[in-house]
Amino acid sequence: MWLSWLNGLLICAGLIVAIGAQNAFVLQQSLRRQNAWLVAGVCALCDWLLVGLGVLGLGVLIAQQEALMEVARWAGAAFLAWQAWLSLRRVLVGQSLTAGGGSAQSWQAALAATLAVTLLNPQVYLETVVLLGAIGAVQPSPLGFFIGAAMASFGWFFGLAAAAGWLAPRLASPRVWRAIDLAIGLILAWVAWRLASGAMMP
């Protein structure tokens, strides 16, 4: 079981650590101190559920739903493009990102945005349900693999929220905040373009 747990921990960590739309969104919300722990928890919980579905053998079925994946691809690209524009607009019009700044956001709005940025990206299904699910299903202990993957996901997202919360008050310069917004906007725009062009699809 321990080997399967280690495989799940390392493989899942390798997939989620790369900066992408989901990580950029968690970082942005955390720096703005807007429902950071809720956002991190929803992202981790979604990963946990999707990997579990994959380990149970549903990865192949989801991968075969071409129409559903296509809808998710375009909806995800549109949503990420909109989020990218909001970040870049703050840079263009001089609205710098500030710790705890910006208009107040309800937990319902944060929940909806987190679910959108997570579940409207077909790459999430390919990585968690299909890839991790297929690897986990053939482990000596699929349960051990699942636990390791879940620990990596929860540790990463909550660690990201905690680190951003620590950094936020220490990044006092408005230029730094605008640079962060610029970087996040460009990342989201890049992922949106890759989704729309089909570059992230198998």
Side-chain angles (χ1 to χ4, degrees):
M1 178 175 179
W2 289 111
L3 179 59
S4 298
W5 171 83
L6 183 62
N7 287 336
L9 183 73
L10 296 179
I11 295 173
C12 183
L15 286 175
I16 66 174
V17 166
I19 294 297
Q22 193 180 46
N23 288 340
F25 183 75
V26 174
L27 180 62
Q28 183 183 60
Q29 295 298 105
S30 299
L31 287 174
R32 295 180 70 87
R33 294 183 178 177
Q34 293 185 345
N35 302 288
W37 298 106
L38 171 65
V39 170
V42 171
C43 288
L45 183 60
C46 285
D47 277 3
W48 180 73
L49 291 173
L50 292 173
V51 172
L53 289 175
V55 172
L56 290 174
L58 298 181
V60 176
L61 294 178
I62 291 181
Q64 292 174 345
Q65 303 301 315
E66 296 182 6
L68 181 61
M69 297 289 279
E70 191 70 6
V71 170
R73 177 166 75 95
W74 286 106
F79 178 79
L80 293 177
W82 170 248
Q83 291 294 316
W85 165 245
L86 293 180
S87 292
L88 296 175
R89 187 167 68 93
R90 283 192 293 270
V91 177
L92 295 173
V93 302
Q95 295 180 358
S96 61
L97 183 65
T98 55
S103 57
Q105 182 186 47
S106 67
W107 70 266
Q108 294 95 332
L111 175 62
T114 306
L115 290 174
V117 80
T118 300
L119 301 179
L120 290 180
N121 184 355
Q123 190 71 12
V124 170
Y125 300 99
L126 296 176
E127 290 182 354
T128 57
V129 182
V130 179
L131 180 58
L132 287 175
I135 296 173
V138 299
Q139 294 291 310
S141 174
L143 177 60
F145 181 91
F146 171 66
I147 293 174
M151 290 179 64
S153 182
F154 275 83
W156 170 254
F157 287 117
F158 282 111
L160 195 61
W166 181 84
L167 284 173
R170 292 165 174 80
L171 302 176
S173 171
R175 289 185 177 181
V176 173
W177 290 111
R178 294 176 72 179
I180 292 171
D181 242 338
L182 176 62
I184 289 173
L186 292 176
I187 290 170
L188 295 177
W190 178 72
V191 177
W193 176 81
R194 284 176 58 82
L195 269 179
S197 66
M200 298 179 69
M201 302 297 289

